[in-house]
Amino acid sequence: MARKDSIAQVALELYLERGFGVSIDEVAAEAGASKQTIYKFFGGRDGLARAAMELELERVVGPMREAAAAAGVASARLAAFAEAYQDVLFSSRCLAMYRFVIGTAGETPEFGAAFNDTVVEYVLGLVTPLIAEATGARPAQARDLADQFIGTLQGSELNRALAGVAVDDQRLARLRGRAIATLASS
């Protein structure tokens, strides 16, 4: 792992463990780097947070990207994407990231915006063309359908999971079925 990435990884782990209030000094000490190096690589705290999220992005969206790009008919790829999305979203690490972002967005709105730009928009960008292919929808309509699709996949299970309630796998399967069926009727 390149030095820049290893510093961003240390920052991510500290953010998930202790929140966005972690200082550049703390990241530097934990990463065995100087503050000057962090400022050179990232420009400051916001750049470091964005780089940390971009590292996490690859881990989070890799399975979804693979499902969307797999060979086969669009409807089958969409079903695989839905399952990959839920597997990632409801993983303990992703739930920790969501809790962290929600917890810091009030005091640091730029971090919430960075999360949205880095993760949420990327996921929607992955699924929108797949939905357009599966439904024949035009780009604007496909984007609206993507919002609806992702919302249906999350359902109220996301709120339960964020509150620490165990995820109901049967309910997730029903949500996947509903999301696919809604698209099929579009």
mmCIF file of all heavy atoms in Angstrom, residues 125-170:
data_model
loop_
_atom_site.group_PDB
_atom_site.id
_atom_site.type_symbol
_atom_site.label_atom_id
_atom_site.label_comp_id
_atom_site.label_asym_id
_atom_site.label_seq_id
_atom_site.Cartn_x
_atom_site.Cartn_y
_atom_site.Cartn_z
ATOM 1 N N GLY A 125 -24.594 6.145 -9.697
ATOM 2 C CA GLY A 125 -23.997 6.149 -11.029
ATOM 3 C C GLY A 125 -23.775 4.749 -11.578
ATOM 4 O O GLY A 125 -23.815 4.537 -12.793
ATOM 5 N N LEU A 126 -23.546 3.792 -10.682
ATOM 6 C CA LEU A 126 -23.386 2.395 -11.119
ATOM 7 C C LEU A 126 -24.714 1.780 -11.550
ATOM 8 O O LEU A 126 -24.784 1.074 -12.553
ATOM 9 C CB LEU A 126 -22.843 1.544 -9.970
ATOM 10 C CG LEU A 126 -21.359 1.478 -9.736
ATOM 11 C CD1 LEU A 126 -21.071 0.620 -8.503
ATOM 12 C CD2 LEU A 126 -20.632 0.922 -10.938
ATOM 13 N N VAL A 127 -25.752 2.023 -10.779
ATOM 14 C CA VAL A 127 -27.011 1.319 -11.021
ATOM 15 C C VAL A 127 -27.888 2.011 -12.067
ATOM 16 O O VAL A 127 -28.674 1.347 -12.744
ATOM 17 C CB VAL A 127 -27.779 1.075 -9.697
ATOM 18 C CG1 VAL A 127 -28.418 2.339 -9.164
ATOM 19 C CG2 VAL A 127 -28.789 -0.044 -9.864
ATOM 20 N N THR A 128 -27.749 3.314 -12.242
ATOM 21 C CA THR A 128 -28.619 4.031 -13.183
ATOM 22 C C THR A 128 -28.511 3.490 -14.612
ATOM 23 O O THR A 128 -29.549 3.204 -15.231
ATOM 24 C CB THR A 128 -28.361 5.548 -13.120
ATOM 25 O OG1 THR A 128 -28.686 6.010 -11.798
ATOM 26 C CG2 THR A 128 -29.188 6.308 -14.135
ATOM 27 N N PRO A 129 -27.319 3.303 -15.176
ATOM 28 C CA PRO A 129 -27.259 2.757 -16.537
ATOM 29 C C PRO A 129 -27.815 1.333 -16.633
ATOM 30 O O PRO A 129 -28.409 0.958 -17.640
ATOM 31 C CB PRO A 129 -25.775 2.777 -16.897
ATOM 32 C CG PRO A 129 -25.092 3.569 -15.864
ATOM 33 C CD PRO A 129 -26.000 3.657 -14.682
ATOM 34 N N LEU A 130 -27.633 0.565 -15.583
ATOM 35 C CA LEU A 130 -28.154 -0.795 -15.563
ATOM 36 C C LEU A 130 -29.690 -0.771 -15.567
ATOM 37 O O LEU A 130 -30.337 -1.545 -16.276
ATOM 38 C CB LEU A 130 -27.620 -1.532 -14.337
ATOM 39 C CG LEU A 130 -27.931 -3.007 -14.189
ATOM 40 C CD1 LEU A 130 -27.523 -3.793 -15.430
ATOM 41 C CD2 LEU A 130 -27.244 -3.555 -12.956
ATOM 42 N N ILE A 131 -30.255 0.146 -14.813
ATOM 43 C CA ILE A 131 -31.714 0.298 -14.794
ATOM 44 C C ILE A 131 -32.207 0.775 -16.162
ATOM 45 O O ILE A 131 -33.224 0.290 -16.666
ATOM 46 C CB ILE A 131 -32.147 1.250 -13.658
ATOM 47 C CG1 ILE A 131 -31.985 0.521 -12.316
ATOM 48 C CG2 ILE A 131 -33.582 1.741 -13.853
ATOM 49 C CD1 ILE A 131 -32.205 1.375 -11.097
ATOM 50 N N ALA A 132 -31.476 1.702 -16.769
ATOM 51 C CA ALA A 132 -31.862 2.177 -18.107
ATOM 52 C C ALA A 132 -31.857 1.016 -19.098
ATOM 53 O O ALA A 132 -32.778 0.877 -19.914
ATOM 54 C CB ALA A 132 -30.908 3.278 -18.567
ATOM 55 N N GLU A 133 -30.844 0.165 -19.004
ATOM 56 C CA GLU A 133 -30.762 -0.992 -19.895
ATOM 57 C C GLU A 133 -31.904 -1.984 -19.634
ATOM 58 O O GLU A 133 -32.511 -2.510 -20.575
ATOM 59 C CB GLU A 133 -29.407 -1.685 -19.703
ATOM 60 C CG GLU A 133 -29.187 -2.874 -20.608
ATOM 61 C CD GLU A 133 -27.860 -3.570 -20.352
ATOM 62 O OE1 GLU A 133 -26.966 -2.994 -19.699
ATOM 63 O OE2 GLU A 133 -27.726 -4.713 -20.825
ATOM 64 N N ALA A 134 -32.203 -2.209 -18.368
ATOM 65 C CA ALA A 134 -33.227 -3.193 -18.015
ATOM 66 C C ALA A 134 -34.643 -2.712 -18.333
ATOM 67 O O ALA A 134 -35.506 -3.522 -18.658
ATOM 68 C CB ALA A 134 -33.132 -3.540 -16.528
ATOM 69 N N THR A 135 -34.858 -1.399 -18.244
ATOM 70 C CA THR A 135 -36.222 -0.885 -18.391
ATOM 71 C C THR A 135 -36.450 -0.107 -19.679
ATOM 72 O O THR A 135 -37.607 0.154 -20.033
ATOM 73 C CB THR A 135 -36.570 0.061 -17.222
ATOM 74 O OG1 THR A 135 -35.709 1.203 -17.277
ATOM 75 C CG2 THR A 135 -36.459 -0.642 -15.885
ATOM 76 N N GLY A 136 -35.373 0.303 -20.347
ATOM 77 C CA GLY A 136 -35.509 1.157 -21.519
ATOM 78 C C GLY A 136 -35.777 2.608 -21.158
ATOM 79 O O GLY A 136 -36.123 3.419 -22.021
ATOM 80 N N ALA A 137 -35.612 2.949 -19.880
ATOM 81 C CA ALA A 137 -35.873 4.317 -19.425
ATOM 82 C C ALA A 137 -34.799 5.273 -19.950
ATOM 83 O O ALA A 137 -33.648 4.889 -20.151
ATOM 84 C CB ALA A 137 -35.886 4.366 -17.897
ATOM 85 N N ARG A 138 -35.198 6.507 -20.163
ATOM 86 C CA ARG A 138 -34.256 7.567 -20.540
ATOM 87 C C ARG A 138 -33.445 7.951 -19.306
ATOM 88 O O ARG A 138 -33.853 7.654 -18.174
ATOM 89 C CB ARG A 138 -35.015 8.754 -21.092
ATOM 90 C CG ARG A 138 -35.694 8.379 -22.385
ATOM 91 C CD ARG A 138 -36.165 9.562 -23.125
ATOM 92 N NE ARG A 138 -36.614 9.078 -24.428
ATOM 93 C CZ ARG A 138 -37.366 9.766 -25.217
ATOM 94 N NH1 ARG A 138 -37.737 10.976 -24.890
ATOM 95 N NH2 ARG A 138 -37.735 9.258 -26.377
ATOM 96 N N PRO A 139 -32.301 8.629 -19.488
ATOM 97 C CA PRO A 139 -31.399 8.914 -18.352
ATOM 98 C C PRO A 139 -32.057 9.558 -17.129
ATOM 99 O O PRO A 139 -31.859 9.089 -16.006
ATOM 100 C CB PRO A 139 -30.341 9.828 -18.962
ATOM 101 C CG PRO A 139 -30.281 9.396 -20.401
ATOM 102 C CD PRO A 139 -31.708 9.059 -20.763
ATOM 103 N N ALA A 140 -32.841 10.614 -17.295
ATOM 104 C CA ALA A 140 -33.458 11.278 -16.136
ATOM 105 C C ALA A 140 -34.431 10.342 -15.423
ATOM 106 O O ALA A 140 -34.460 10.281 -14.189
ATOM 107 C CB ALA A 140 -34.157 12.564 -16.557
ATOM 108 N N GLN A 141 -35.214 9.607 -16.202
ATOM 109 C CA GLN A 141 -36.149 8.668 -15.599
ATOM 110 C C GLN A 141 -35.397 7.519 -14.924
ATOM 111 O O GLN A 141 -35.774 7.070 -13.839
ATOM 112 C CB GLN A 141 -37.124 8.117 -16.643
ATOM 113 C CG GLN A 141 -38.154 7.176 -16.032
ATOM 114 C CD GLN A 141 -38.993 6.437 -17.064
ATOM 115 O OE1 GLN A 141 -38.647 6.384 -18.244
ATOM 116 N NE2 GLN A 141 -40.094 5.858 -16.622
ATOM 117 N N ALA A 142 -34.333 7.053 -15.555
ATOM 118 C CA ALA A 142 -33.534 5.968 -14.968
ATOM 119 C C ALA A 142 -32.938 6.405 -13.634
ATOM 120 O O ALA A 142 -32.879 5.616 -12.689
ATOM 121 C CB ALA A 142 -32.442 5.526 -15.934
ATOM 122 N N ARG A 143 -32.525 7.670 -13.541
ATOM 123 C CA ARG A 143 -31.975 8.175 -12.272
ATOM 124 C C ARG A 143 -33.057 8.193 -11.197
ATOM 125 O O ARG A 143 -32.816 7.808 -10.056
ATOM 126 C CB ARG A 143 -31.371 9.570 -12.489
ATOM 127 C CG ARG A 143 -30.904 10.270 -11.235
ATOM 128 C CD ARG A 143 -29.855 9.441 -10.502
ATOM 129 N NE ARG A 143 -29.540 10.048 -9.236
ATOM 130 C CZ ARG A 143 -28.375 10.570 -8.944
ATOM 131 N NH1 ARG A 143 -27.386 10.533 -9.799
ATOM 132 N NH2 ARG A 143 -28.176 11.108 -7.773
ATOM 133 N N ASP A 144 -34.256 8.624 -11.539
ATOM 134 C CA ASP A 144 -35.360 8.611 -10.577
ATOM 135 C C ASP A 144 -35.675 7.174 -10.144
ATOM 136 O O ASP A 144 -35.907 6.905 -8.958
ATOM 137 C CB ASP A 144 -36.615 9.256 -11.172
ATOM 138 C CG ASP A 144 -36.471 10.757 -11.357
ATOM 139 O OD1 ASP A 144 -35.546 11.365 -10.765
ATOM 140 O OD2 ASP A 144 -37.301 11.326 -12.112
ATOM 141 N N LEU A 145 -35.664 6.259 -11.109
ATOM 142 C CA LEU A 145 -35.908 4.850 -10.785
ATOM 143 C C LEU A 145 -34.791 4.289 -9.904
ATOM 144 O O LEU A 145 -35.050 3.461 -9.023
ATOM 145 C CB LEU A 145 -36.045 4.021 -12.064
ATOM 146 C CG LEU A 145 -37.311 4.256 -12.881
ATOM 147 C CD1 LEU A 145 -37.219 3.554 -14.232
ATOM 148 C CD2 LEU A 145 -38.547 3.802 -12.111
ATOM 149 N N ALA A 146 -33.559 4.745 -10.126
ATOM 150 C CA ALA A 146 -32.430 4.296 -9.303
ATOM 151 C C ALA A 146 -32.617 4.744 -7.854
ATOM 152 O O ALA A 146 -32.374 3.972 -6.920
ATOM 153 C CB ALA A 146 -31.113 4.812 -9.870
ATOM 154 N N ASP A 147 -33.049 5.987 -7.660
ATOM 155 C CA ASP A 147 -33.324 6.470 -6.301
ATOM 156 C C ASP A 147 -34.372 5.597 -5.627
ATOM 157 O O ASP A 147 -34.227 5.191 -4.467
ATOM 158 C CB ASP A 147 -33.826 7.918 -6.328
ATOM 159 C CG ASP A 147 -32.734 8.933 -6.550
ATOM 160 O OD1 ASP A 147 -31.570 8.654 -6.189
ATOM 161 O OD2 ASP A 147 -33.037 10.011 -7.076
ATOM 162 N N GLN A 148 -35.435 5.304 -6.355
ATOM 163 C CA GLN A 148 -36.523 4.476 -5.824
ATOM 164 C C GLN A 148 -36.022 3.054 -5.540
ATOM 165 O O GLN A 148 -36.338 2.468 -4.505
ATOM 166 C CB GLN A 148 -37.668 4.447 -6.822
ATOM 167 C CG GLN A 148 -38.858 3.643 -6.373
ATOM 168 C CD GLN A 148 -39.967 3.637 -7.427
ATOM 169 O OE1 GLN A 148 -39.872 4.266 -8.463
ATOM 170 N NE2 GLN A 148 -41.020 2.902 -7.146
ATOM 171 N N PHE A 149 -35.243 2.500 -6.452
ATOM 172 C CA PHE A 149 -34.704 1.143 -6.322
ATOM 173 C C PHE A 149 -33.839 1.030 -5.067
ATOM 174 O O PHE A 149 -34.033 0.124 -4.248
ATOM 175 C CB PHE A 149 -33.894 0.824 -7.584
ATOM 176 C CG PHE A 149 -33.304 -0.545 -7.639
ATOM 177 C CD1 PHE A 149 -34.096 -1.657 -7.856
ATOM 178 C CD2 PHE A 149 -31.935 -0.727 -7.515
ATOM 179 C CE1 PHE A 149 -33.547 -2.933 -7.928
ATOM 180 C CE2 PHE A 149 -31.374 -1.987 -7.593
ATOM 181 C CZ PHE A 149 -32.186 -3.095 -7.791
ATOM 182 N N ILE A 150 -32.908 1.969 -4.902
ATOM 183 C CA ILE A 150 -32.016 1.943 -3.738
ATOM 184 C C ILE A 150 -32.820 2.130 -2.451
ATOM 185 O O ILE A 150 -32.595 1.438 -1.460
ATOM 186 C CB ILE A 150 -30.910 3.021 -3.874
ATOM 187 C CG1 ILE A 150 -29.960 2.683 -5.027
ATOM 188 C CG2 ILE A 150 -30.148 3.192 -2.561
ATOM 189 C CD1 ILE A 150 -29.179 1.399 -4.874
ATOM 190 N N GLY A 151 -33.778 3.052 -2.473
ATOM 191 C CA GLY A 151 -34.618 3.255 -1.291
ATOM 192 C C GLY A 151 -35.385 2.007 -0.906
ATOM 193 O O GLY A 151 -35.497 1.664 0.276
ATOM 194 N N THR A 152 -35.899 1.305 -1.893
ATOM 195 C CA THR A 152 -36.639 0.070 -1.622
ATOM 196 C C THR A 152 -35.715 -1.006 -1.071
ATOM 197 O O THR A 152 -36.089 -1.735 -0.153
ATOM 198 C CB THR A 152 -37.357 -0.426 -2.900
ATOM 199 O OG1 THR A 152 -38.226 0.608 -3.366
ATOM 200 C CG2 THR A 152 -38.166 -1.689 -2.629
ATOM 201 N N LEU A 153 -34.507 -1.094 -1.591
ATOM 202 C CA LEU A 153 -33.547 -2.091 -1.082
ATOM 203 C C LEU A 153 -33.192 -1.835 0.377
ATOM 204 O O LEU A 153 -32.959 -2.771 1.138
ATOM 205 C CB LEU A 153 -32.265 -2.091 -1.928
ATOM 206 C CG LEU A 153 -32.393 -2.620 -3.347
ATOM 207 C CD1 LEU A 153 -31.084 -2.429 -4.100
ATOM 208 C CD2 LEU A 153 -32.809 -4.092 -3.343
ATOM 209 N N GLN A 154 -33.162 -0.567 0.760
ATOM 210 C CA GLN A 154 -32.841 -0.225 2.152
ATOM 211 C C GLN A 154 -34.029 -0.463 3.068
ATOM 212 O O GLN A 154 -33.878 -1.015 4.154
ATOM 213 C CB GLN A 154 -32.421 1.244 2.249
ATOM 214 C CG GLN A 154 -31.150 1.557 1.546
ATOM 215 C CD GLN A 154 -30.856 3.042 1.498
ATOM 216 O OE1 GLN A 154 -31.641 3.876 1.928
ATOM 217 N NE2 GLN A 154 -29.706 3.375 0.957
ATOM 218 N N GLY A 155 -35.195 -0.021 2.610
ATOM 219 C CA GLY A 155 -36.397 -0.156 3.419
ATOM 220 C C GLY A 155 -36.186 0.380 4.827
ATOM 221 O O GLY A 155 -35.255 1.122 5.103
ATOM 222 N N SER A 156 -37.051 -0.016 5.720
ATOM 223 C CA SER A 156 -36.893 0.384 7.122
ATOM 224 C C SER A 156 -35.845 -0.478 7.819
ATOM 225 O O SER A 156 -35.464 -0.192 8.956
ATOM 226 C CB SER A 156 -38.233 0.303 7.852
ATOM 227 O OG SER A 156 -38.769 -0.994 7.745
ATOM 228 N N GLU A 157 -35.357 -1.508 7.126
ATOM 229 C CA GLU A 157 -34.296 -2.350 7.698
ATOM 230 C C GLU A 157 -33.036 -1.543 7.985
ATOM 231 O O GLU A 157 -32.330 -1.823 8.942
ATOM 232 C CB GLU A 157 -33.951 -3.522 6.773
ATOM 233 C CG GLU A 157 -34.910 -4.676 6.843
ATOM 234 C CD GLU A 157 -35.059 -5.259 8.234
ATOM 235 O OE1 GLU A 157 -34.065 -5.741 8.825
ATOM 236 O OE2 GLU A 157 -36.185 -5.229 8.748
ATOM 237 N N LEU A 158 -32.757 -0.536 7.154
ATOM 238 C CA LEU A 158 -31.560 0.273 7.398
ATOM 239 C C LEU A 158 -31.684 0.999 8.735
ATOM 240 O O LEU A 158 -30.732 1.012 9.521
ATOM 241 C CB LEU A 158 -31.318 1.268 6.262
ATOM 242 C CG LEU A 158 -30.093 2.171 6.433
ATOM 243 C CD1 LEU A 158 -28.811 1.353 6.600
ATOM 244 C CD2 LEU A 158 -29.960 3.117 5.252
ATOM 245 N N ASN A 159 -32.839 1.576 9.019
ATOM 246 C CA ASN A 159 -33.023 2.257 10.303
ATOM 247 C C ASN A 159 -32.868 1.287 11.469
ATOM 248 O O ASN A 159 -32.234 1.608 12.471
ATOM 249 C CB ASN A 159 -34.397 2.936 10.369
ATOM 250 C CG ASN A 159 -34.498 4.092 9.415
ATOM 251 O OD1 ASN A 159 -33.509 4.726 9.076
ATOM 252 N ND2 ASN A 159 -35.703 4.367 8.959
ATOM 253 N N ARG A 160 -33.440 0.099 11.322
ATOM 254 C CA ARG A 160 -33.305 -0.913 12.382
ATOM 255 C C ARG A 160 -31.839 -1.285 12.585
ATOM 256 O O ARG A 160 -31.365 -1.370 13.715
ATOM 257 C CB ARG A 160 -34.119 -2.157 12.035
ATOM 258 C CG ARG A 160 -35.605 -1.983 12.150
ATOM 259 C CD ARG A 160 -36.317 -3.339 11.895
ATOM 260 N NE ARG A 160 -37.728 -3.144 11.746
ATOM 261 C CZ ARG A 160 -38.360 -3.023 10.582
ATOM 262 N NH1 ARG A 160 -37.709 -3.122 9.453
ATOM 263 N NH2 ARG A 160 -39.661 -2.832 10.547
ATOM 264 N N ALA A 161 -31.152 -1.529 11.481
ATOM 265 C CA ALA A 161 -29.744 -1.944 11.574
ATOM 266 C C ALA A 161 -28.886 -0.842 12.190
ATOM 267 O O ALA A 161 -28.004 -1.117 13.017
ATOM 268 C CB ALA A 161 -29.216 -2.321 10.190
ATOM 269 N N LEU A 162 -29.135 0.409 11.802
ATOM 270 C CA LEU A 162 -28.377 1.519 12.379
ATOM 271 C C LEU A 162 -28.624 1.645 13.877
ATOM 272 O O LEU A 162 -27.752 2.090 14.623
ATOM 273 C CB LEU A 162 -28.723 2.832 11.670
ATOM 274 C CG LEU A 162 -28.187 2.961 10.251
ATOM 275 C CD1 LEU A 162 -28.776 4.184 9.561
ATOM 276 C CD2 LEU A 162 -26.664 3.011 10.249
ATOM 277 N N ALA A 163 -29.824 1.237 14.316
ATOM 278 C CA ALA A 163 -30.161 1.272 15.739
ATOM 279 C C ALA A 163 -29.645 0.041 16.486
ATOM 280 O O ALA A 163 -29.837 -0.078 17.690
ATOM 281 C CB ALA A 163 -31.675 1.386 15.910
ATOM 282 N N GLY A 164 -28.992 -0.876 15.765
ATOM 283 C CA GLY A 164 -28.406 -2.047 16.412
ATOM 284 C C GLY A 164 -29.290 -3.274 16.423
ATOM 285 O O GLY A 164 -28.943 -4.291 17.028
ATOM 286 N N VAL A 165 -30.441 -3.212 15.748
ATOM 287 C CA VAL A 165 -31.338 -4.363 15.671
ATOM 288 C C VAL A 165 -30.818 -5.312 14.588
ATOM 289 O O VAL A 165 -30.389 -4.867 13.522
ATOM 290 C CB VAL A 165 -32.782 -3.904 15.344
ATOM 291 C CG1 VAL A 165 -33.718 -5.089 15.168
ATOM 292 C CG2 VAL A 165 -33.288 -2.957 16.420
ATOM 293 N N ALA A 166 -30.857 -6.599 14.877
ATOM 294 C CA ALA A 166 -30.368 -7.594 13.920
ATOM 295 C C ALA A 166 -31.143 -7.509 12.606
ATOM 296 O O ALA A 166 -32.359 -7.310 12.602
ATOM 297 C CB ALA A 166 -30.486 -8.999 14.501
ATOM 298 N N VAL A 167 -30.421 -7.672 11.523
ATOM 299 C CA VAL A 167 -31.014 -7.608 10.185
ATOM 300 C C VAL A 167 -31.818 -8.875 9.931
ATOM 301 O O VAL A 167 -31.389 -9.987 10.251
ATOM 302 C CB VAL A 167 -29.903 -7.439 9.127
ATOM 303 C CG1 VAL A 167 -30.463 -7.528 7.723
ATOM 304 C CG2 VAL A 167 -29.173 -6.125 9.335
ATOM 305 N N ASP A 168 -32.978 -8.723 9.345
ATOM 306 C CA ASP A 168 -33.855 -9.837 8.992
ATOM 307 C C ASP A 168 -33.587 -10.198 7.531
ATOM 308 O O ASP A 168 -34.028 -9.484 6.626
ATOM 309 C CB ASP A 168 -35.315 -9.410 9.206
ATOM 310 C CG ASP A 168 -36.321 -10.504 8.898
ATOM 311 O OD1 ASP A 168 -35.982 -11.469 8.153
ATOM 312 O OD2 ASP A 168 -37.459 -10.389 9.367
ATOM 313 N N ASP A 169 -32.866 -11.281 7.299
ATOM 314 C CA ASP A 169 -32.493 -11.676 5.939
ATOM 315 C C ASP A 169 -33.706 -11.963 5.061
ATOM 316 O O ASP A 169 -33.690 -11.691 3.855
ATOM 317 C CB ASP A 169 -31.552 -12.883 5.960
ATOM 318 C CG ASP A 169 -30.182 -12.530 6.512
ATOM 319 O OD1 ASP A 169 -29.760 -11.364 6.367
ATOM 320 O OD2 ASP A 169 -29.527 -13.417 7.094
ATOM 321 N N GLN A 170 -34.759 -12.503 5.636
ATOM 322 C CA GLN A 170 -35.969 -12.767 4.848
ATOM 323 C C GLN A 170 -36.615 -11.459 4.410
ATOM 324 O O GLN A 170 -37.090 -11.337 3.284
ATOM 325 C CB GLN A 170 -36.954 -13.616 5.644
ATOM 326 C CG GLN A 170 -36.471 -15.038 5.846
ATOM 327 C CD GLN A 170 -37.441 -15.855 6.680
ATOM 328 O OE1 GLN A 170 -38.341 -15.338 7.332
ATOM 329 N NE2 GLN A 170 -37.238 -17.175 6.650
#
